[in-house]
């Protein structure tokens, strides 16, 4: 899983063929893999479901009494289910560009799946809840250590205190330039703006790394 040839809905290369609207020519359609991560109960499944143009695949199970011993439900006492493998959805950002969304499980005991899911990902969205900001620390550390570009999307719950993006960035001790955006995970347009911001940022990061690599290989004149 994680390679372009494993993505549902696309041929082996991860590119699909679409016809140009005017000249009847063909263009390569690009399919990009995006992770949606964060702590337990932060809204990952909600975000994937809100933006997906297909019926999202969900792997949710009811919370059990055994799970209550290891899952911290403080602040999300209303939550009755949890993702045990992944969520999956798809959204077309524009003609020729589709995003495949993989929502990761939030609990530590399911982290063995993260390495597999992250293979081939362009970048990630780390959802944050200011009532439980520390819950997204592990996701931030994970992507920073693996140099996977990510944006932090603060899911603005009605009963949560509002903080500015700069305050959140300082509290998370993010690397300079890492975007922080405010969002409503239930709203399709809000979620789409988060994804667009991620694609733009990840594109700049990957381009800069490519140029740096080419420059290093060329060596001094």
């Amino acid at each position: 899983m994680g390679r372009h040839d494993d993505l549902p809905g696309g041929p082996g290369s991860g590119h699909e063929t679409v016809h140009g609207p005017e000249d009847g020519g063909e263009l390569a359609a690009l399919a990009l893999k995006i992770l949606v991560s964060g702590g337990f109960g932060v809204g990952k499944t909600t975000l994937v479901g809100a933006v997906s143009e297909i019926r999202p695949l969900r792997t949710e199970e009811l919370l059990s009494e055994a799970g209550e011993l290891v899952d911290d439900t403080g602040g999300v006492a209303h939550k009755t289910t949890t993702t045990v493998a992944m969520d999956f959805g798809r959204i077309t950002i524009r003609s020729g560009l589709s995003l495949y969304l993989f929502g990761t499980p939030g609990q530590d005991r399911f982290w063995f799946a993260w390495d597999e899911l992250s293979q081939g990902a362009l970048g990630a969205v780390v959802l944050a809840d200011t009532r439980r900001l520390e819950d997204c620390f592990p996701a931030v550390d994970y992507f920073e250590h693996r140099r996977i570009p990510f944006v932090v999307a603060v899911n603005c719950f009605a009963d949560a205190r509002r903080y500015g993006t700069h305050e959140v960035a300082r509290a998370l001790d993010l690397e300079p330039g890492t975007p922080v955006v405010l969002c409503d995970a239930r709203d399709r347009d809000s979620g789409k703006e988060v994804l667009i911001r991620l694609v733009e940022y990840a594109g700049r990061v990957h381009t800069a790394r490519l140029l740096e690599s080419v420059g290093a290989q060329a060596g001094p004149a």
Side-chain angles (χ1 to χ4, degrees):
M1 184 184 298
R3 298 172 46 148
H4 283 309
D5 54 357
D6 292 329
L7 291 175
S13 65
H15 294 76
E16 300 172 354
T17 299
V18 296
H19 292 280
E22 298 177 356
D23 58 8
E26 293 185 345
L27 300 172
L30 184 61
L32 302 175
K33 181 179 183 181
I34 301 296
L35 301 185
V36 179
S37 63
F40 176 67
V42 76
K44 300 181 295 294
T45 298
T46 299
L47 177 65
V48 173
V51 302
S52 180
E53 61 198 14
I54 62 173
R55 183 176 180 180
L57 168 67
R58 293 172 175 167
T59 56
E60 289 198 310
E61 297 291 342
L62 291 173
L63 290 172
S64 64
E65 292 184 3
E68 290 178 358
L69 300 176
V70 290
D71 295 331
D72 179 11
T73 58
V76 288
H78 63 284
K79 187 171 175 61
T80 60
T81 61
T82 183
T83 298
V84 296
M86 68 173 186
D87 299 311
F88 172 77
R90 186 189 71 204
I91 179 174
T92 300
I93 296 297
R94 57 169 172 76
S95 178
L97 176 58
S98 297
L99 305 182
Y100 289 97
L101 309 176
F102 291 80
T104 64
Q107 301 96 311
D108 292 352
R109 67 183 185 278
F110 294 126
W111 272 43
F112 64 88
W114 280 51
D115 287 339
E116 194 72 19
L117 288 173
S118 66
Q119 293 296 316
L122 174 77
V125 174
V126 176
L127 274 175
D129 178 352
T130 57
R131 301 169 302 178
R132 300 156 52 99
L133 196 60
E134 68 280 0
D135 287 2
C136 71
F137 288 174
V140 168
D141 289 342
Y142 182 91
F143 296 122
E144 284 185 344
H145 290 161
R146 287 160 182 79
R147 303 186 73 224
I148 298 175
F150 67 94
V151 301
V152 173
V154 179
N155 192 8
C156 298
F157 291 91
D159 58 343
R161 180 179 173 183
R162 298 299 177 95
Y163 294 90
T165 55
H166 293 295
E167 293 177 286
V168 174
R170 286 197 301 270
L172 293 176
D173 193 24
L174 298 177
E175 294 181 353
T178 303
V180 177
V181 296
L182 305 180
C183 75
D184 181 344
R186 303 166 299 179
D187 182 77
R188 175 181 171 81
D189 289 338
S190 180
K192 186 175 180 179
E193 285 299 317
V194 170
L195 296 172
I196 291 173
R197 184 75 176 274
L198 170 62
V199 171
E200 292 174 343
Y201 173 65
R204 293 194 300 270
V205 170
H206 287 297
T207 298
R209 290 175 182 172
L210 178 60
L211 293 175
E212 181 181 345
S213 175
V214 171
Q217 292 176 11

